[in-house]
Amino acid sequence: EYIRSYYYNKLEYTRFSSSVGKYVGFTEYGVKNAAAWNNNPSILSRAKAQKEACCLHNIQIDYNNMLTKS
């Protein structure tokens, strides 16, 4: 699962979760940002592509490292 969180003053206001597939806001400001970002196809598709770029590329490497260490 790919999660990208946005914080201000140690308070999470917006999060993208690949399992949900969209941005979710936790504060009034975060809800406004999430709505704007979810309505913009380029921002949403870029966030979804980050899962493939970050997670799927490294999962086999990380998995193999864990198996050899245990």
Side-chain angles (χ1 to χ4, degrees):
E1 180 178 12
Y2 175 75
I3 296 175
R4 182 168 185 164
S5 297
Y6 296 87
Y7 291 86
Y8 182 74
N9 283 342
K10 299 181 183 179
L11 178 67
E12 183 178 25
Y13 64 91
T14 306
R15 175 190 299 170
F16 175 83
S17 174
S18 63
S19 62
V20 176
K22 65 178 185 174
Y23 287 92
V24 178
F26 299 106
T27 63
E28 182 180 348
Y29 178 69
V31 170
K32 290 178 184 180
N33 279 329
W37 295 341
N38 287 331
N39 289 329
N40 188 331
S42 67
I43 292 175
L44 201 55
S45 65
R46 183 175 58 216
K48 290 178 181 179
Q50 286 297 311
K51 178 182 178 181
E52 294 177 16
C54 296
C55 301
L56 298 180
H57 173 72
N58 293 315
I59 190 68
Q60 192 62 43
I61 297 168
D62 293 342
Y63 185 71
N64 287 339
N65 285 336
M66 285 188 284
L67 288 179
T68 59
K69 305 252 189 241
S70 59

